[in-house]
Amino acid sequence: MSLTAMVGARVFDGDRIREEAAVLVSSGTVLDVVRAQDVPAHAERRVLDGGLLAPGFVDLQVNGGGGVMLNDGPSGEAIEQIAAAHRPFGTTGLLPTLITDTPAVTAAAIAAAAEVAGRIPGVLGLHLEGPHLAPARKGAHLAELMRPLTENDVARLIEARERIGVLMVTVAVEQAPLRLIRRLADAGVIVSLGHTDAGYDAARAAIDAGARAVTHLFNAMSQLGNRDPGMVGAALAAGAVFCGIIADGHHVHPESLRVALAAKRGPGRLYLVTDAMASVGWSGDSFTLGGRTVYRRGGRLTLADGTLAGADIDMASAVRYAARDLGLGTEEALRMASLYPAELIGDARRGRLRRGAVAEIVHLDDNLCVRGVLEF
């Protein structure tokens, strides 16, 4: 059994940055992180020229990349192209994400994810963001395709989770009866609340029924108010709930994110998502979404009326924004990009470099730009 030792760079193991350390890898699995001086003599040394090794990033909301949108034609090939577009930016695990669409397109996305999840590098499952959302908070989704969650939907989603493995479903509180949220959660579906105008009490009831996450906190939901804390208040007050955030300087004011970070007590955490569209890893300046043109201008993606339509950001850029603009520092920013999303989906092999972890390692420079994703 061959043994490779990654030396010459600092190592973030998921808990802390270690100086003069080495990562030991065999057969695609991390064996240990040791002091550089303790590398076994028989190991093949791969010497790096400085920088920082960290667990590969995990992105739970990826609508597209490489010029491809999942909604445009869900297939194994499209998902593979999206995953490949994000990999150079350090994302080694992701959930391809389908936004609100027709039943036929949704079924095609489920079939495609079942085909490639666990087979195509980086594809961990599927995120269905809709169609059970609230038209009052539609964002860039098509309101005419939104509808309540039904018993038949739940049966199909549970069957889909069994085929795919990891299935996250974003629903609006007002479109999802509590008994159905509970059924999905009991069956292992990760229920995330989003695109909702629900008040605090209704949101907390959905959380108590089994919802474990909130989709792009602050965006497309009821806000924190003085007499009704809304969906935002419920997300921050419920300690066990994880919240995705889009950290691009456009979707949420940095001070709002700092307040949320200070309020979140855990064990649920705020984690980074890109909400990326076709533009990541692609040079075009416009693309279509549900028959509408999305324009790429100044780091923003918008419809013709100015509505934000996803984000023009990769995960490494989100890490840099969190570390510097939000003042979180390197270690916490990296945890938000890897450990916390991995914890939400129950993937103990990602988010840390330790014995038994999958050897998906990103090599960063001192500015947190990706120098490469290491292959084994």
Side-chain angles (χ1 to χ4, degrees), residues 312-338:
D312 187 19
I313 190 171
D314 59 80
M315 189 60 88
S317 296
V319 167
R320 291 191 294 273
Y321 184 89
R324 296 172 184 169
D325 293 74
L326 298 181
L328 295 178
T330 297
E331 294 179 344
E332 183 64 3
L334 290 172
R335 281 189 284 266
M336 291 173 67
S338 56

Side-chain angles (χ1 to χ4, degrees), residues 20 36 53 55 90 96 116 130 139 145 181 183 196 217 228-229 286 336-337 342 348:
E20 302 294 330
L53 298 180
V116 301
L145 296 179
I181 290 177
R183 279 187 58 198
T196 177
L217 182 68
D228 188 340
S286 67
M336 291 173 67

Side-chain angles (χ1 to χ4, degrees), residues 89 107 117 120 138 172 174 191 198 201 203-204 219 242 246 253 271 289 312 318 325 335 373:
F89 301 101
I120 299 299
K138 66 182 186 298
E174 56 269 55
V191 178
D201 290 339
R204 281 305 298 255
N219 293 109
F242 286 77
I246 306 171
H253 194 286
Y271 63 93
L289 174 66
D312 187 19
D325 293 74
R335 281 189 284 266
V373 174

Side-chain angles (χ1 to χ4, degrees), residues 15 17 34 43 50 54 59 73 83 133 136 151-152 160 177 189 211 215 217 240 243 263 268 293 295 297 304 344 365:
D15 295 312
I17 293 176
V34 300
D59 192 347
L133 308 180
E151 296 277 358
N152 288 338
V189 176
T215 297
L217 182 68
C243 303
T293 301
Y295 299 94
R297 298 168 180 156
L344 172 57
D365 66 17

Side-chain angles (χ1 to χ4, degrees), residues 123-139:
V123 181
L124 305 181
L126 180 67
H127 182 170
L128 295 175
E129 189 186 357
H132 314 297
L133 308 180
R137 295 284 184 170
K138 66 182 186 298

